[in-house]
Amino acid sequence: MKEIAIQSRSRCEMIDITAAVQKAAGEENILSGIGVVYTLHTTAAVTINENADPDVRRDILAALERAVPLVADYRHAEGNSAAHVKSSLVGVSEMVIVENGRLVLGTWQSLFFCEFDGPRSRKVLVKFIT
Amino acid sequence: MKEIAIQSRSRCEMIDITAAVQKAAGEENILSGIGVVYTLHTTAAVTINENADPDVRRDILAALERAVPLVADYRHAEGNSAAHVKSSLVGVSEMVIVENGRLVLGTWQSLFFCEFDGPRSRKVLVKFIT
Amino acid sequence: MKEIAIQSRSRCEMIDITAAVQKAAGEENILSGIGVVYTLHTTAAVTINENADPDVRRDILAALERAVPLVADYRHAEGNSAAHVKSSLVGVSEMVIVENGRLVLGTWQSLFFCEFDGPRSRKVLVKFIT
């Protein structure tokens, strides 16, 4: 198992972790297998989406904000209920496939850590099975 | 593969199944591996989120209700279309990582079965690969 | 690893791929294990939901459309931002469990490829670990 440390800089942010996950696969000499990319937090998530136009990330975060507003009829006193909801909607993990030592991703796909209650120091775990 | 039986008591409810999944890992003597926690139903889900303040669960369920209202322009005659939508949004499974015989979870993370069309008798399957 | 080719016919559509995934498990002689069903695209998804009443699929797609409207304050110039958002909400992969050579699914569950920006030629990968 490998650990990736992440420092988010905004309240909501999508951070590309593809290279770090690929590096973890290399360090563990994974030629063919699957991997769990998992974040240990309850106000964050992991997703796979487009890495080309940064406006896609901006639009995803804005659409999540519209669907799950920051301020609403929440009871949780910490003020970050929307972040908890987004975490369960997007999900705290993604699965990746490895072949020939490389993550198998579509042309436009990257792995993103999703911060929904930053800025914070965060952790992502990567565990491969062959 | 292990099966966990669940009895929900409300229409919408999040039930902590962390201990049952940990027990399944122990019974199968999993020291290091990954596991699929999977529900067999189409109006339920599995998620990982905060276990400390019960208001977080209440806020998650309420936010899902706002984003996917119980009553809307649905055609499915059983009246539980919103539950089907929530099932696909939250997802019918979660992946877990096991190290040293223990589920690797963040400080505040627990595994929850999400009931969206209860009360009902439900099943969750757990399958580990090492 | 097996590849499933899909041709979608509408902008938004859920296509049952259960038989193709079961066929892939058979071709790889998987008796007991888990599998990743993964789509390589950033405006599509994979989900598990009801296969009996086609109105359920219609209601899921319509509810997603209400929660993430096609036209909104998006910046991404291609006009398909809503599809990217839906992809991250529903997720680009699902996990399946295989026992005795068969996918373990609930009575009403099928695997669906979700098209959110069609019609297009699409690909789904299936990778099993035993």
Side-chain angles (χ1 to χ4, degrees):
Chain A
M1 187 171 62
K2 293 285 177 184
E3 190 177 305
I4 299 169
I6 293 164
Q7 177 62 53
S8 63
R9 313 250 164 230
S10 312
R11 183 170 64 81
C12 291
E13 186 180 1
M14 289 173 68
I15 298 171
D16 195 327
I17 58 171
T18 312
V21 175
Q22 177 62 62
K23 182 161 171 267
E27 285 169 359
E28 303 218 338
N29 298 308
I30 309 299
L31 288 182
S32 172
I34 64 175
V36 185
V37 183
Y38 182 94
T39 188
L40 290 162
H41 311 284
T42 59
T43 53
V46 177
T47 196
I48 292 172
N49 215 300
E50 186 185 307
N51 55 10
D53 178 2
D55 276 345
V56 170
R57 272 163 272 166
R58 180 264 175 202
D59 286 351
I60 291 172
L61 294 173
L64 287 172
E65 198 84 26
R66 275 191 295 267
V68 186
L70 180 62
V71 178
D73 181 25
Y74 300 120
R75 285 200 205 149
H76 180 50
E78 291 180 32
N80 61 358
S81 280
H84 286 288
V85 180
K86 292 174 185 176
S87 176
S88 275
L89 284 175
V90 177
V92 292
S93 70
E94 283 287 353
M95 296 302 296
V96 290
I97 297 171
V98 180
E99 292 291 359
N100 304 311
R102 306 292 306 172
L103 299 178
V104 180
L105 294 169
T107 313
W108 308 107
Q109 286 183 323
S110 278
L111 275 155
F112 292 96
F113 171 81
C114 302
E115 174 64 78
F116 295 131
D117 191 36
R120 293 200 199 207
S121 296
R122 301 293 209 172
K123 280 182 194 165
V124 168
L125 303 179
V126 188
K127 170 86 172 174
F128 295 101
I129 297 284
T130 55
Chain B
M1 187 171 63
K2 293 285 177 184
E3 190 176 306
I4 299 169
I6 293 164
Q7 177 63 53
S8 64
R9 313 250 165 230
S10 311
R11 182 169 65 81
C12 292
E13 187 180 0
M14 290 173 68
I15 298 171
D16 195 326
I17 57 171
T18 312
V21 175
Q22 177 62 62
K23 182 161 170 267
E27 285 169 359
E28 303 218 338
N29 297 308
I30 309 298
L31 288 183
S32 172
I34 64 175
V36 186
V37 183
Y38 182 94
T39 187
L40 289 162
H41 311 285
T42 60
T43 53
V46 178
T47 196
I48 291 171
N49 216 300
E50 186 185 308
N51 55 10
D53 178 3
D55 276 344
V56 170
R57 273 163 271 166
R58 181 263 175 203
D59 286 350
I60 291 172
L61 294 173
L64 287 172
E65 199 83 27
R66 276 191 296 268
V68 185
L70 181 62
V71 178
D73 180 27
Y74 300 120
R75 285 200 204 149
H76 181 49
E78 291 180 32
N80 60 359
S81 280
H84 286 288
V85 180
K86 292 173 185 176
S87 176
S88 276
L89 285 175
V90 177
V92 292
S93 70
E94 284 286 353
M95 295 303 296
V96 289
I97 297 172
V98 180
E99 293 291 359
N100 303 312
R102 305 293 305 173
L103 299 178
V104 180
L105 294 169
T107 312
W108 307 107
Q109 286 183 323
S110 278
L111 274 154
F112 292 96
F113 172 81
C114 302
E115 175 63 80
F116 296 130
D117 191 37
R120 294 199 198 209
S121 296
R122 302 292 210 171
K123 281 182 195 164
V124 168
L125 303 179
V126 188
K127 170 85 171 175
F128 294 100
I129 297 284
T130 56
Chain C
M1 187 170 63
K2 293 285 177 183
E3 190 177 305
I4 299 169
I6 293 164
Q7 177 63 53
S8 64
R9 313 249 164 231
S10 312
R11 182 169 64 81
C12 291
E13 187 180 0
M14 290 173 69
I15 298 171
D16 195 326
I17 57 171
T18 312
V21 175
Q22 177 61 61
K23 183 162 171 266
E27 285 169 358
E28 302 219 338
N29 298 309
I30 309 298
L31 288 182
S32 172
I34 65 174
V36 186
V37 183
Y38 182 94
T39 188
L40 289 163
H41 310 285
T42 59
T43 53
V46 177
T47 196
I48 292 171
N49 216 300
E50 186 184 308
N51 55 11
D53 178 2
D55 276 345
V56 170
R57 271 163 273 166
R58 180 264 175 202
D59 286 350
I60 291 172
L61 293 173
L64 287 172
E65 198 83 27
R66 276 192 295 268
V68 186
L70 180 62
V71 178
D73 181 26
Y74 300 120
R75 286 201 204 149
H76 180 50
E78 292 180 31
N80 60 358
S81 280
H84 286 289
V85 180
K86 292 174 186 176
S87 176
S88 276
L89 284 175
V90 177
V92 293
S93 71
E94 283 286 354
M95 296 302 296
V96 289
I97 297 171
V98 180
E99 292 292 358
N100 304 311
R102 306 292 306 172
L103 299 178
V104 180
L105 294 168
T107 312
W108 308 107
Q109 286 183 323
S110 278
L111 274 155
F112 292 96
F113 172 81
C114 302
E115 175 63 80
F116 296 130
D117 192 36
R120 294 200 197 205
S121 297
R122 301 293 208 171
K123 282 182 194 164
V124 167
L125 303 180
V126 188
K127 170 88 173 172
F128 294 100
I129 298 283
T130 55

